Amino acid sequence: MRITRKPLSRRTVLRGAGTAMALPFLEAMMPGAYAADIGARPKRLQVFYSPNGMTMPEYRPTGEGTAFTLPPTLEPLEPHKDAITFITGLGHPQAAAMGDAPAGHGRSCPAFLTGAHARQTEGPDIRCGTSMDQVFAAHLGDATQIPSTELSIDLPSMAGSCDINYSCAYTNGISWLTPTVPLPVEANPRAVFERLFGDGEALDEKSRLARLRKQASILDFVMEDTARLSGKLGMEDRRKLDEYLDATRAIEKRIQRAESSPPPAQAASMTQPAGIPDDFAEHVKLMIDLQILAMQADMTRVGTFMIGRELSNRTYPEIGVPDSHHMLSHHGNNPEKMRQLAKINRYHMTFFAYALQRMKETKDGEGSLFDRTLVIRGSAFGDSNEHDFLDLPVAVSGGLVQGGRHVRVEHGTTMSNLLLAGLNLLDVPVTSFGDSTGPLQELIRA
């Protein structure tokens, strides 16, 4: 590693045997006059997606403007209420059948970030639209080592049909690089970690295997380079570097525990993918923390996270819900099934609250990662029993928008207007997106 006169190159890395580890965003990387200027720091985008819709009566806030209260599903977000804008009335008209088969998930999921109508097909000729996150990633170009991260809790389904006459490619993820290229999601924390802290894509295979056998830390490989760099940094940068390295080691230990923990007795006949914790909550938090670490290092500024694949049949016995999520979403207005679905929805909100808290407590210069991040949380359906794609449960947060509001827009207003406004807030000079009619003024107006 070569240290030059300040400002330190944004491409500076810590090097060791078979390893190249990115640095967090340091004051030394900025011209002195701008080091404390939060406006000069990079903007980021994070999307948090939950599948299978909502029990809307338990979700929708009461009251409007700043005078609103949170219903049971949203109560976990109370500590962040002043930082969130809840928007009622947004939909995706492009998720309508338009003469196609009466499927719902296969059209609504791909429309979520694209505002486009998915081509009905079970074959390789899939087509939808470029997603909003990838428009932002393309705008950033090569500003970061990794253009974007697409994380999930569920492994992708096998090729074929997952919804009626619709390819599984439409429900495995929400990010589309182009109208014909959906981006694959990654559910294995070990794979994510190695992508972040390898030589740009993956660790040297020999070194990776040696480290796994020893249960060694990546930090052990770059210790000498770390000491050399630390001596040339100011006090605040040394503190930030120490926090970053501590967070990296903590995540490593959690991944190692997941890999070494024996599977539960009932899973004895199953092959557990290495690095994926058996505990759902630990898995979710680990994936969120990996995204936070990637942003902290400015390895990427764009991330999407699916807490469940669309059509997910996961059960949640840990919260007293032994039935399948997707099955419960088709509750037929059965009160008990609706109650169980609401418990899942609320449980997912606890992890969204966790993500917001982690962004708020992670330093970024004089502020935090939260200050310069646009956060979008949503689902492809409102009322899951009806596959209602015209009243979506959408919330927006982050320091780039005014929070503490419940905003109602005309029912069925295309969510593409919100995605367009989001791109403008991220300084992407576009005037249209998907089926937008203009940027959503309620988002960009203070």
Side-chain angles (χ1 to χ4, degrees):
M1 182 183 67
R2 185 180 60 168
I3 304 296
T4 60
R5 297 177 61 185
K6 293 184 178 179
L8 189 68
S9 169
R10 294 284 305 283
R11 298 293 183 180
T12 302
V13 295
L14 300 173
R15 295 193 181 278
T19 301
M21 182 177 177
L23 290 171
F25 191 72
L26 302 172
E27 305 293 348
M29 295 174 178
M30 303 181 69
Y34 299 99
D37 180 10
I38 192 170
R41 299 183 183 283
K43 292 183 177 181
R44 305 172 177 91
L45 170 69
Q46 286 290 312
V47 181
F48 189 101
Y49 180 89
S50 57
N52 299 336
M54 290 276 170
T55 47
M56 293 301 284
E58 300 293 312
Y59 166 86
R60 190 175 290 110
T62 58
E64 295 184 39
T66 58
F68 71 99
T69 58
L70 299 181
T73 294
L74 297 178
E75 284 176 355
L77 300 178
E78 185 68 41
H80 307 286
K81 178 181 176 183
D82 291 343
I84 303 174
T85 290
F86 300 92
I87 305 175
T88 294
L90 291 177
H92 264 317
Q94 294 300 312
M98 299 182 183
D100 292 338
H105 301 269
R107 284 190 300 270
S108 293
C109 182
F112 182 71
L113 284 183
T114 67
H117 184 76
R119 173 186 288 166
Q120 180 183 304
T121 179
E122 297 179 12
D125 56 334
I126 55 174
R127 186 175 186 84
C128 188
T130 303
S131 56
M132 176 256 200
D133 59 309
Q134 293 307 303
V135 172
F136 181 44
H139 171 73
L140 293 174
D142 62 355
T144 58
Q145 177 180 325
I146 299 172
S148 61
T149 57
E150 294 75 40
L151 306 189
S152 178
I153 294 302
D154 296 327
L155 294 170
S157 287
M158 300 298 289
S161 174
C162 282
D163 202 0
I164 303 171
N165 296 327
Y166 283 86
S167 166
C168 290
Y170 289 126
T171 50
N172 280 335
I174 55 175
S175 295
W176 289 71
L177 182 64
T178 71
T180 57
V181 181
L183 289 173
V185 296
E186 180 55 69
N188 190 328
R190 169 63 69 183
V192 178
F193 190 87
E194 291 180 358
R195 184 187 182 201
L196 295 178
F197 298 111
D199 60 4
E201 288 298 326
L203 289 174
D204 168 79
E205 183 66 11
K206 183 178 179 181
S207 299
R208 185 184 74 84
L209 293 175
R211 175 154 62 87
L212 285 175
R213 284 194 297 269
K214 294 180 180 180
Q215 293 289 282
S217 168
I218 190 174
L219 305 183
D220 296 334
F221 288 85
V222 297
M223 189 178 298
E224 183 178 341
D225 226 8
T226 301
R228 185 184 309 128
L229 173 65
S230 184
K232 298 177 180 292
L233 297 177
M235 182 184 302
E236 179 62 19
D237 275 351
R238 287 199 300 272
R239 179 198 62 77
K240 181 181 290 188
L241 181 60
D242 287 343
E243 287 182 352
Y244 172 66
L245 298 178
D246 287 345
T248 302
R249 190 180 293 275
I251 286 178
E252 275 191 314
K253 289 180 178 178
R254 288 159 66 189
I255 292 173
Q256 289 167 0
R257 283 198 302 270
E259 292 174 333
S260 61
S261 298
Q266 61 269 30
S269 62
M270 298 173 59
T271 301
Q272 192 75 4
I276 297 181
D278 295 315
D279 182 81
F280 175 78
E282 171 60 16
H283 190 186
V284 174
K285 290 181 178 180
L286 189 52
M287 299 301 271
I288 290 172
D289 287 345
L290 282 165
Q291 283 199 322
I292 297 296
L293 202 61
M295 289 199 298
Q296 186 179 6
D298 202 35
M299 299 182 76
T300 188
R301 299 173 190 171
V302 186
T304 59
F305 176 67
M306 299 180 75
I307 199 169
R309 184 179 60 82
E310 195 62 38
L311 289 162
S312 170
N313 280 312
R314 181 182 293 274
T315 62
Y316 295 87
E318 67 270 32
I319 59 170
V321 181
D323 295 326
S324 151
H325 186 184
H326 181 226
M327 183 274 288
L328 290 172
S329 74
H330 295 282
H331 48 69
N333 295 318
N334 179 296
E336 176 57 23
K337 291 183 178 181
M338 293 177 71
R339 186 186 69 81
Q340 289 195 62
L341 180 60
K343 289 180 71 172
I344 296 174
N345 297 156
R346 180 188 173 100
Y347 189 43
H348 286 177
M349 289 299 171
T350 66
F351 298 109
F352 182 51
Y354 176 82
L356 295 179
Q357 183 60 37
R358 291 288 291 111
M359 279 186 267
K360 287 180 176 181
E361 65 191 19
T362 302
K363 290 285 188 180
D364 182 36
E366 297 298 315
S368 70
L369 289 178
F370 184 84
D371 297 333
R372 298 286 286 175
T373 301
L374 175 65
V375 187
I376 299 174
R377 197 231 73 86
S379 303
F381 295 126
D383 185 327
S384 58
N385 192 61
E386 300 295 332
H387 283 177
D388 183 4
F389 51 82
L390 292 179
D391 187 11
L392 305 180
V394 177
V396 183
S397 188
L400 300 182
V401 296
Q402 176 189 347
R405 299 180 295 161
H406 175 214
V407 174
R408 291 184 184 272
V409 299
E410 183 179 352
H411 179 77
T413 298
T414 175
M415 186 174 161
S416 292
N417 289 357
L418 181 150
L419 300 177
L420 174 59
L423 287 170
N424 292 164
L425 287 170
L426 294 166
D427 301 325
V428 182
V430 291
T431 57
S432 64
F433 179 82
D435 61 347
S436 67
T437 59
L440 189 70
Q441 294 301 311
E442 291 83 357
L443 183 65
I444 60 179
R445 198 167 52 221

